[in-house]
Amino acid sequence: MAPRPLLQVVIGSTRPQRVGGAIAAWFYEVATAHQGFEVELVDLATVDLPLFDEPQQPMRRQYVHEHTKRWSATVERADAFVFVIPEYNHSMNAATKNAIDFLHHEWRYKPFGLVSYGGASRGLRAAQALKPTLAALKMALAGDVAISLAATPVTDGVFEGDEHLARSANGVLDELARLAPLYAQLRT
Ligand SMILES: Cc1cc2nc3c(=O)[nH]c(=O)nc-3n(C[C@H](O)[C@H](O)[C@H](O)COP(=O)(O)O)c2cc1C
């Protein structure tokens, strides 16, 4: 049997007391139960990148910093991503954009899903802001899950997505599973 593609669930918020970790843990559980992927949590708070500080454009892949080389190796091994992102001031949060900007080839021709969250907006403005950045890297959108923290809050550090959100998450995972092998061919 072919090995399952590796899906990285990226926690975009780096804020102490963030809710993003609980939402990513929920998505991780749904993705593990889906069984289409090996699933890995990637926490940008732990990755701990500074503001972009490479002298060369990432397209050249001539990284001088150890933190960039480590980040490159992490992203390189993935076949697909789900970015779990908060909405900050009607857009994506800076840590997510910064982590994406550090690399180039490691992202290319890989599919992604978005799990956004916020107030009434459900983080959709953050999701819409992030899409052109990922399209510029030739990444393919598999779908979105949009969460209202008012309707489904994080309680005592735990997020329990309702049936509707679980269906939405599984739709994204199904599409990622369809796209991952096709995009893997484009990378060869
Ligand atoms: C700097 C900042 C800006 C925010 N701007 C928005 C916003 O534009 N729209 C929204 O729905 N919520 C906004 N919020 C509320 C966040 O949705 C809420 O704090 C959420 O918990 C943030 O995710 P995190 O806890 O994982 O960092 C903002 C929060 C912060 C910290």
Side-chain angles (χ1 to χ4, degrees), residues 11-23 84-91 93 117-125 147 149 154:
I11 308 174
S13 174
T14 56
R15 196 173 66 88
Q17 303 192 22
R18 65 190 177 185
V19 302
I23 293 171
V84 179
I85 50 165
E87 179 170 303
Y88 286 176
N89 297 317
H90 295 192
S91 189
N93 69 316
Y117 54 92
S121 71
R122 298 183 295 150
L124 282 168
R125 290 173 293 212
I147 295 169
L149 294 173
V154 171

Side-chain angles (χ1 to χ4, degrees), residues 23-43:
I23 293 171
W26 164 78
F27 192 91
Y28 178 90
E29 291 302 321
V30 176
T32 303
H34 180 274
Q35 296 195 337
F37 304 90
E38 296 297 324
V39 192
E40 190 177 293
L41 264 182
V42 174
D43 183 351

